[in-house]
Amino acid sequence: MGNDGGLLNWPPGSVFQEMTFLVLGSQGYIGRAVSKALLQQGSEVIGLVRKTEGSTSMGVQEISFDLNRDDPKNLERLVGDSIIIDCAWSNGFLHNHETHALQAANRLAFYDKISNFNPKKIVSLGSMHELGSRSGPVSDVVV
């Protein structure tokens, strides 16, 4: 935790301050916090969101993109110099929803296609909500 209360504390002139991050799900629960932290450190953040209307972008340039539906080729010009951070998910609080398994396969196909455009990195973030509603410790038996 940095002195300003932010999540990141890169030194002045850090290479990350000059980088572009594509954040899938930048309007969501995790994506909003990630985008805010990157912006506070001086990074450029492009949010890939399902719906751009009615959003509160916090200074994030938003582009309409749904990784379950849209062609990754549309992102080719943005990807080459960027770090992709995937925070996107739908039905996150409907723990047993069938889309969780279906979206996992779509997500892997998206990563495979987008890797052809040579991003610097692809980072996938999530929470335990994707695994379903459980109480107590998670083990190989629970999942």
Side-chain angles (χ1 to χ4, degrees), residues 25-35 87 89 93 126-127 129:
S26 64
Q27 294 176 355
Y29 184 73
I30 296 172
R32 189 175 300 125
V34 168
S35 296
C87 306
W89 211 262
F93 293 101
S127 69
H129 287 293

Side-chain angles (χ1 to χ4, degrees), residues 16-139:
F16 290 106
Q17 292 176 333
E18 300 170 8
M19 296 191 90
T20 300
F21 292 85
L22 300 180
V23 179
L24 279 85
S26 64
Q27 294 176 355
Y29 184 73
I30 296 172
R32 189 175 300 125
V34 168
S35 296
K36 181 179 178 183
L38 291 169
L39 287 169
Q40 287 175 341
Q41 295 298 316
S43 299
E44 179 184 5
V45 179
I46 300 172
L48 303 176
V49 298
R50 283 187 289 267
K51 297 176 187 164
T52 56
E53 59 275 348
S55 68
T56 55
S57 67
M58 307 172 296
V60 173
Q61 175 191 346
E62 292 182 337
I63 297 173
S64 179
F65 185 83
D66 185 335
L67 70 82
N68 295 302
R69 184 185 63 235
D70 296 333
D71 186 353
K73 185 136 180 78
N74 297 334
L75 302 175
E76 184 173 6
R77 68 176 180 80
L78 298 172
V79 171
D81 250 2
S82 302
I83 293 177
I84 299 169
I85 303 177
D86 179 9
C87 306
W89 211 262
S90 42
N91 301 312
F93 293 101
L94 299 173
H95 302 297
N96 298 320
H97 201 280
E98 65 187 17
T99 58
H100 297 306
L102 296 172
Q103 288 179 1
N106 291 346
R107 190 165 256 101
L108 291 175
F110 170 78
Y111 296 157
D112 184 52
K113 290 176 184 175
I114 207 82
S115 67
N116 292 321
F117 309 135
N118 300 314
K120 291 189 184 223
K121 289 194 183 296
I122 299 174
V123 179
S124 182
L125 299 178
S127 69
M128 294 306 290
H129 287 293
E130 292 98 14
L131 299 178
S133 179
R134 298 282 182 192
S135 295
V138 176
S139 69

Side-chain angles (χ1 to χ4, degrees), residues 1-11 37 40-41:
M1 177 109 31
N3 296 336
D4 63 355
L7 298 173
L8 307 171
N9 190 19
W10 293 320
Q40 287 175 341
Q41 295 298 316

